[in-house]
């Protein structure tokens, strides 16, 4: 009688390759908040411990697929006062970063004759997801503001703090953080415009009041707040928002509000019909009717279940 072999077979090269590919595909580099490497399968994140490591990772990811020279990376990490052994110190930071990245054995960072290059491969970034969802939401807004609010809300939900948080020391990361923050504000404005077009003017007033306080030079936010207040029947307050914006712009920049805000003022003073929210599209009404019908069907089922339970309890008594 033969002895049963219970030895666990070693993983094949193909199996190992598949596991590495899965890990890479599940990897998401996060830039919309603290810089980290996130695994979407396990929900775990790894963050470089030191500011130089975070700045290096952020710089390489922001410029993924691009050759970054040693000189540019040294400037990014140490500014105009690099250490005497800056290239060696940079090499050490790159080596530590390689050990931190997932899928051991996969070459995320390539060493080139004059610098380094990070390849994303099938990995992703939260910044790219944000850009995609924001673009889809803004493209959808004119025809379907309700769906646009969903997409734009999903885009903004990706943010976990300021862009490249604790990593903006050099010109490359500073410029990218500024671009991302501007895109975030543009997306916020698109979200509130879509919300107004859904008839949610009363719900948006408080948020827009707070946003104009945080971004006092952002004319588009004043514009949206004026519309929201006007649609709530608060015309005098809407006019007051214009005066507040004018004082802040004059006091800080020495300029009057731009033509868009001045046109909004004129429209409110003249009760322009364009300020009245558009009626919901037929498709929106049909979708709302379908949602209500689904809710009614569920209530009927719940009622039948409750009556059946009452009868069974009565029969048992």
């Amino acid at each position: 009688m033969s002895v049963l072999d219970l030895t666990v077979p070693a993983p094949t090269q193909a199996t190992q390759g598949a596991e590495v590919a899965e890990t890479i595909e599940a990897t998401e580099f996060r830039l919309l908040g603290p810089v980290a490497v996130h695994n979407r399968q396990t929900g775990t994140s790894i963050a470089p411990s030191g500011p130089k490591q975070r700045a290096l990772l952020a710089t390489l990811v922001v410029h993924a697929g691009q050759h970054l020279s040693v000189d540019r990376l040294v400037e990014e990490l140490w500014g105009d006062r690099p250490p005497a052994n800056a290239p060696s110190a940079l090499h050490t930071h790159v080596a530590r970063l390689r050990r931190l990245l997932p899928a051991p054995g996969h070459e995320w960072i390539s060493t080139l004759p004059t610098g380094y290059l990070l390849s994303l491969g099938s990995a992703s970034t939260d910044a790219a997801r944000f850009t995609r969802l924001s673009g889809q939401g803004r493209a959808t807004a004119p025809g379907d503001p309700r769906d646009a609010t969903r997409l734009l809300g999903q885009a903004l939900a990706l943010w976990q703090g300021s862009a490249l948080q604790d990593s903006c020391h050099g010109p490359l990361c500073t410029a990218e953080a500024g671009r991302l923050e501007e895109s975030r504000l543009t997306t916020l404005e698109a979200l509130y415009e879509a919300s107004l077009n859904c008839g949610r003017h009363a719900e948006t007033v408080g948020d827009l009041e707070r946003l104009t306080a945080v971004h006092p030079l952002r004319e588009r936010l004043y514009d949206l707040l004026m519309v929201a207040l006007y649609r709530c029947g608060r015309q005098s307050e809407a006019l007051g928002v214009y005066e507040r914006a004018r004082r802040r712009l004059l006091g800080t920049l020495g300029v009057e509000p731009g033509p868009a805000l001045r046109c909004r003022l004129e429209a409110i003073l003249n009760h322009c019909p364009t300020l009245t929210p558009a009626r919901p599209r037929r498709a929106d009404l049909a979708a709302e009717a379908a949602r209500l019908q689904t809710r009614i069907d569920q209530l009927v089922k719940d009622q039948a279940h409750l009556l059946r339970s009452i009868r069974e309890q009565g029969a048992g008594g």
Side-chain angles (χ1 to χ4, degrees):
M1 185 173 64
S2 62
V3 178
L4 190 62
D5 185 5
L6 298 179
T7 305
V8 178
T12 65
Q13 188 173 359
T15 301
Q16 291 175 332
E19 290 175 352
V20 169
E22 280 184 20
T23 302
I24 295 169
E25 190 171 359
T27 299
E28 181 177 76
F29 293 93
R30 295 198 161 175
L31 306 174
L32 306 180
V35 175
V37 185
H38 182 74
N39 186 305
R40 294 200 305 271
Q41 285 183 333
T42 63
T44 57
S45 294
I46 302 172
S49 57
K52 292 284 190 297
Q53 288 279 299
R54 291 193 295 271
L56 176 60
L57 176 60
T59 306
L60 290 170
V61 172
V62 163
H63 294 277
Q66 302 176 35
H67 165 253
L68 291 173
S69 69
V70 169
D71 289 343
R72 291 189 77 186
L73 289 170
V74 166
E75 180 187 14
E76 190 70 18
L77 268 59
W78 289 283
D80 56 1
R81 301 182 65 181
N85 63 337
S88 297
L90 174 63
H91 180 76
T92 300
H93 281 302
V94 170
R96 289 174 180 167
L97 196 56
R98 281 182 172 133
R99 290 195 292 270
L100 180 73
L101 294 174
H106 174 71
E107 188 178 33
W108 291 99
I109 304 172
S110 303
T111 301
L112 305 177
T114 58
Y116 300 93
L117 179 147
L118 182 140
S119 300
L120 285 177
S122 58
S124 60
T125 70
D126 58 353
R129 274 207 296 155
F130 165 76
T131 300
R132 176 175 55 81
L133 287 167
S134 175
Q136 289 175 348
R138 285 182 280 115
T140 302
D144 190 349
R146 192 182 301 276
D147 193 44
T149 59
R150 179 184 62 83
L151 291 166
L152 295 167
Q154 288 178 355
L156 292 165
L158 295 173
W159 286 74
Q160 303 296 317
S162 58
L164 306 181
Q165 191 170 306
D166 301 328
S167 303
C168 299
H169 302 292
L172 297 177
C173 282
T174 300
E176 179 64 10
R179 186 192 70 79
L180 287 170
E181 291 290 350
E182 174 62 26
S183 184
R184 182 187 194 180
L185 280 172
T186 301
T187 303
L188 263 174
E189 291 167 350
L191 173 64
Y192 284 109
E193 182 176 11
S195 296
L196 288 173
N197 289 335
C198 290
R200 300 172 186 164
H201 32 272
E203 302 170 34
T204 64
V205 169
D207 287 344
L208 289 169
E209 287 281 11
R210 286 189 289 274
L211 284 169
T212 55
V214 176
H215 304 283
L217 304 180
R218 196 88 182 179
E219 291 190 47
R220 180 61 176 144
L221 293 173
Y222 290 114
D223 186 350
L224 294 168
L225 178 55
M226 290 169 67
V227 173
L229 287 168
Y230 180 84
R231 290 181 179 176
C232 289
R234 298 157 66 179
Q235 181 183 1
S236 61
E237 292 178 64
L239 297 175
V241 168
Y242 178 87
E243 287 304 317
R244 190 200 325 164
R246 182 174 179 274
R247 286 194 303 270
R248 287 179 176 173
L249 290 168
L250 279 172
T252 305
L253 303 177
V255 298
E256 292 278 351
L261 207 55
R262 293 199 301 271
C263 286
R264 187 68 73 194
L265 173 68
E266 291 295 326
I268 290 174
L269 288 171
N270 295 318
H271 300 282
C272 184
T274 58
L275 289 171
T276 304
R279 288 187 174 185
R281 295 184 310 125
R282 190 167 184 174
D284 292 338
L285 292 173
E288 185 65 26
R291 280 192 290 271
L292 287 172
Q293 186 60 53
T294 301
R295 179 60 178 153
I296 290 168
D297 292 343
Q298 186 60 50
L299 288 171
V300 170
K301 289 179 182 178
D302 293 344
Q303 184 183 37
H305 177 73
L306 180 60
L307 290 172
R308 190 163 52 251
S309 299
I310 292 171
R311 285 196 297 268
E312 288 173 356
Q313 289 175 3

